Amino acid sequence: MNVLLLGSGGREHALAWKLAQSPSLTKLYAAPGNPGIAQSAELVALDITDHAAVLAFCKDKRIGLVVIGPEAPLVAGLGNSLRAAGIPAFGPDKDAAQLEGSKGFTKDLCARENIPTAGYKRFTDKQAALSGLKAFGLPVVIKADGLAAGKGVIIAETSADADAAIEDMFDGSFGDAGAEIVIEEFLTGEEASFFALTDGEAVIPFGSAQDHKRVGDGDTGPNTGGMGAYSPAAILTPELEAQAMAEIVIPTVRAMKAAGMPYSGVLYAGLMLTAQGPKLIEYNARFGDPECQVLMMRFDGDLLALLLAVAEGRLAELGAVTLADRAALTVVMAAKGYPGTPEKGGAIAGIDAAEAAGARVFHAGTRLDGDMLVANGGRVLNVTGSGADVAEAQAIAYRGVDAIEFPTGFCRRDIGWQELRRRRND
């Protein structure tokens, strides 16, 4: 089968790496891809915002499945266009992708379906939002309603910080994403990421992870798209995972079907593990980045067969998905300046040495300048280790980091600290 993978980040490199291992794969194409993805796929110059061009390519190359990696094409309705043309696609339609595309949409669904989440209010007017803050304590969470590349969330510790966040969002700091905002109560607990696959009917778990959003060691500094992750997240016990499935994920899938917008794809639930049990922070309509990287390191099955079953509504035929007992941990190497304006063009060397040291390096924001690999984004590389436990996976990942020469890059040195602290305290 010929497959088209859309996207250019570390998530897509991990998907390409795993798809390339499928015995049923004939040819893997990727658009636009990156130099790492090119090791597993043929890169094609295809504008993924041009639905007609994507459809023409799929027909010309007899594509049997399109895997849509990032959220923007999903929210723009590419899944609709593909399915209307009879081309199986992994990823939800436009209406269903509102679970990520509009935080307010998701909060309203939770309210209707009694899905546990933080208390909230929605606002489309700056002055009304500033006045509405009075109903919340501190700290308080201010979110841009739309897509903001993982950066549209501000945790305000003071009233002045909250006012400034609202001012910034309505004044265009996050573009159209901030034209509407959601103000939420601050939840106390530890965060975990939980993944499930669904074809709109069947729903099966697909593992857990824990992300590290802050840019600096010790969870300091501004939020980012993610500076590293590990899987499994032991704090999300089998009992809590079952509770999240029963109280959050399955009711969401059922509600979406009942509303006439069945959800098909991977449903990524960001959870806060509170004293009252798991509560939904927000949904993503695609695999997380960098969570996908650690999940793919643990998944030993045929990814193409699994994603195709989701796309064709046959997920129930496959039964449960099993991830290996081993742990995986990935460290993001970012360009200086991230999450602000990253320094592009910095030379990168030593990836072969990192992989010889046992790590798997996924390209996230790279390009070739002649024969030289250079940084081409904020998050540049995902250096990933796999081991018997998180401590071993962490050691392998950082051996890989230390083998890479990236003078204009930086990384956190404490990815996995929560799990390692828990192990020390046990």
Side-chain angles (χ1 to χ4, degrees):
M1 174 180 289
N2 293 340
V3 176
L4 173 63
L5 171 65
L6 303 181
S8 62
R11 167 184 49 226
E12 287 76 35
H13 187 184
L15 291 170
W17 172 72
K18 185 57 69 172
L19 285 167
Q21 299 170 31
S22 172
S24 56
L25 179 71
T26 303
K27 178 83 173 181
L28 179 61
Y29 298 93
N34 64 39
I37 294 172
Q39 299 166 13
S40 301
E42 179 181 324
L43 304 190
V44 293
L46 187 61
D47 180 2
I48 65 176
T49 67
D50 185 341
H51 293 194
V54 174
L55 294 178
F57 178 86
C58 290
K59 291 175 181 176
D60 179 56
K61 300 298 183 181
R62 298 182 180 179
I63 299 296
L65 176 68
V66 178
V67 178
I68 305 172
E71 62 273 22
L74 296 169
V75 172
L78 181 56
N80 303 64
S81 298
L82 289 163
R83 280 183 272 266
I87 301 166
F90 179 80
D93 279 350
K94 180 177 183 178
D95 286 346
Q98 289 181 93
L99 285 175
E100 177 168 6
S102 170
K103 295 177 177 64
F105 172 88
T106 299
K107 299 296 287 191
D108 287 350
L109 181 145
C110 289
R112 289 193 306 271
E113 302 298 325
N114 295 314
I115 294 170
T117 189
Y120 75 102
K121 288 187 177 180
R122 300 176 68 174
F123 297 95
T124 56
D125 175 79
K126 184 198 305 184
Q127 292 306 317
L130 291 169
S131 297
L133 269 175
K134 299 182 180 71
F136 295 85
L138 292 170
V140 64
V141 183
I142 317 293
K143 294 182 176 181
D145 180 75
L147 298 179
K151 301 172 189 174
V153 178
I154 305 296
I155 300 172
E157 302 285 348
T158 68
S159 295
D161 289 343
D163 288 347
I166 291 171
E167 295 273 0
D168 287 346
M169 287 186 186
F170 279 112
D171 289 346
S173 292
F174 298 100
D176 292 342
E180 179 175 343
I181 71 167
V182 175
I183 302 179
E184 291 186 7
E185 69 169 323
F186 179 80
L187 295 176
T188 300
E190 192 166 337
E191 291 187 39
S193 302
F194 177 62
F195 298 83
L197 296 174
T198 178
D199 56 10
E201 289 277 358
V203 189
I204 59 174
F206 194 78
S208 65
Q210 195 159 45
D211 192 9
H212 298 62
K213 286 293 187 187
R214 300 281 189 170
V215 73
D217 285 6
D219 290 335
T220 58
N223 273 331
T224 71
M227 293 300 294
Y230 66 91
S231 176
I235 193 171
L236 190 62
T237 63
E239 294 77 16
L240 288 174
E241 184 175 300
Q243 187 177 354
M245 279 286 284
E247 297 180 3
I248 298 174
V249 176
I250 291 174
T252 298
V253 172
R254 289 175 177 166
M256 294 297 286
K257 180 184 176 184
M261 50 183 81
Y263 188 98
S264 174
V266 60
L267 193 55
Y268 162 13
L271 304 175
M272 184 68 77
L273 305 181
T274 74
Q276 297 78 39
K279 292 188 178 184
L280 180 70
I281 301 171
E282 62 186 30
Y283 277 126
N284 290 321
R286 35 68 191 183
F287 282 110
D289 190 347
E291 295 93 339
C292 183
Q293 290 83 315
V294 290
L295 291 173
M296 291 303 112
M297 289 289 284
R298 295 183 57 221
F299 178 61
D300 289 329
D302 185 335
L303 185 65
L304 174 51
L306 181 60
L307 302 190
L308 184 62
V310 172
E312 294 183 341
R314 299 183 289 103
L315 185 58
E317 297 176 7
L318 300 189
V321 171
T322 301
L323 273 67
D325 289 338
R326 65 182 182 271
L329 183 146
T330 191
V331 178
V332 170
M333 298 189 75
K336 289 179 181 178
Y338 180 77
T341 302
E343 183 177 334
K344 294 185 179 182
I348 302 165
I351 289 180
D352 288 346
E355 297 202 329
R360 170 73 56 184
V361 181
F362 297 114
H363 293 229
T366 64
R367 66 176 176 86
L368 288 174
D369 184 359
D371 293 332
M372 182 183 297
L373 186 70
V374 300
N376 191 43
R379 295 184 295 169
V380 179
L381 299 172
N382 308 137
V383 188
T384 313
S386 177
D389 55 24
V390 170
E392 183 180 358
Q394 183 197 60
I396 292 169
Y398 279 111
R399 278 207 304 269
V401 167
D402 293 338
I404 291 174
E405 301 170 32
F406 183 19
T408 61
F410 73 97
C411 69
R412 283 182 58 164
R413 302 295 307 193
D414 65 345
I415 301 303
W417 70 267
Q418 304 101 315
E419 183 62 19
L420 296 181
R421 183 183 64 180
R422 275 191 288 273
R423 289 173 63 88
R424 287 194 300 268
N425 293 337
D426 284 347

